[in-house]
Amino acid sequence: MLKNIAIFISGSGTNLQTLIDESKKSKLFKIVLVVSSTKKAFGLQRAQKNNIPTIINDKNFAPSQLIKQLKNSKVDLIVLAGYLSILKGDLLKQYKNKIINIHPSLIPSFCGKGMYGIHVHKAVINSGVKYTGATVHFVNEGIDTGAIIDQVSIKVNSKDTPNSLQKKLLKYEHKLLVSSLKKILINNYKIINNKIIWG
């Protein structure tokens, strides 16, 4: 059965574009809404080009309005794709275990408050670790603390910079986000003690 997806963005929307492309091929989901934390996000243009309704969820937009829009759009699942605002309150309750996020590290390493975007890759380079990666997880009340759906790892080379590492990881992020989304749409699962039990 086709599921309705809302994508939350804050920037260029490369993960959004990956999901738009996949939605055209897949019979699993349809993107019915794109929510941006800022009107400056280039991802909004990607949505508009594909005739996907958009919302600017800034400080002028009440949380109750956002929930109402999601309900009106019959959203089954929310995907955070580079969304830089922290979700809290009724939205988390209304969509418990129905919000997923992609984070550019191997959680529980290099995550939590202040760990987003290039800051993550700077911390990875400074630490000297030999491997990093990306994680797709469910969103809960904490920051990057929800149940892990899947991860991918890549090698950190001695010549890598934060920018080169970010660029190198991006294509793996795209694939991971698509495969993780499909995984939870196709399979039965339950979350016990913050771990996913499949089947």
Side-chain angles (χ1 to χ4, degrees):
M1 182 178 173
L2 196 69
K3 296 291 186 180
N4 290 334
I5 306 292
I7 314 291
F8 283 39
I9 64 169
S10 291
S12 64
T14 57
N15 274 315
L16 167 63
Q17 187 63 57
T18 297
L19 292 175
I20 288 172
D21 294 343
E22 185 62 33
S23 71
K24 293 176 180 178
K25 299 182 287 183
S26 173
K27 304 246 191 278
L28 291 174
F29 68 94
K30 178 184 179 182
I31 302 171
V32 295
L33 190 64
V34 168
V35 178
S36 176
S37 61
T38 171
K39 62 184 178 183
K40 296 179 181 179
F42 181 73
L44 290 169
Q45 295 182 40
R46 298 180 190 271
Q48 290 156 6
K49 185 178 179 182
N50 288 275
N51 301 310
I52 302 169
T54 61
I55 291 174
I56 309 301
N57 185 36
D58 59 15
K59 60 183 179 181
N60 299 314
F61 202 73
S64 59
Q65 286 180 279
L66 176 59
I67 292 172
K68 184 178 180 181
Q69 291 276 9
L70 292 167
K71 295 293 185 182
N72 287 345
S73 299
K74 298 181 180 178
V75 169
D76 298 303
L77 185 76
I78 296 170
V79 179
L80 307 186
Y83 190 68
L84 298 182
S85 295
I86 303 298
L87 300 184
K88 52 189 175 183
D90 286 342
L91 181 62
L92 290 178
K93 293 174 185 175
Q94 293 280 341
Y95 287 89
K96 184 176 181 180
N97 297 335
K98 293 180 179 179
I99 306 174
I100 67 172
N101 178 53
I102 184 159
H103 182 78
S105 79
L106 294 171
I107 291 175
S109 297
F110 309 107
C111 63
K113 189 174 181 180
M115 283 287 111
Y116 62 89
I118 200 67
H119 300 290
V120 176
H121 305 295
K122 286 178 180 177
V124 167
I125 294 293
N126 290 338
S127 74
V129 296
K130 303 305 179 189
Y131 289 89
T132 187
T135 303
V136 175
H137 64 95
F138 281 102
V139 174
N140 59 13
E141 293 80 6
I143 302 176
D144 302 326
T145 57
I148 293 172
I149 299 165
D150 207 354
Q151 296 179 303
V152 64
S153 64
I154 65 170
K155 188 170 178 56
V156 181
N157 297 320
S158 59
K159 293 182 180 179
D160 273 324
T161 65
N163 286 313
S164 72
L165 190 60
Q166 184 180 48
K167 186 176 180 180
K168 182 167 68 173
L169 181 60
L170 198 56
K171 63 180 179 180
Y172 294 95
E173 285 185 50
H174 295 335
K175 292 177 182 177
L176 178 68
L177 184 56
V178 169
S179 64
S180 296
L181 178 57
K182 286 182 174 180
K183 192 173 183 179
I184 62 172
L185 292 177
I186 291 171
N187 296 290
N188 293 319
Y189 63 89
K190 51 189 173 182
I191 300 175
I192 300 175
N193 296 325
N194 207 37
K195 295 178 181 177
I196 300 174
I197 310 299
W198 299 100

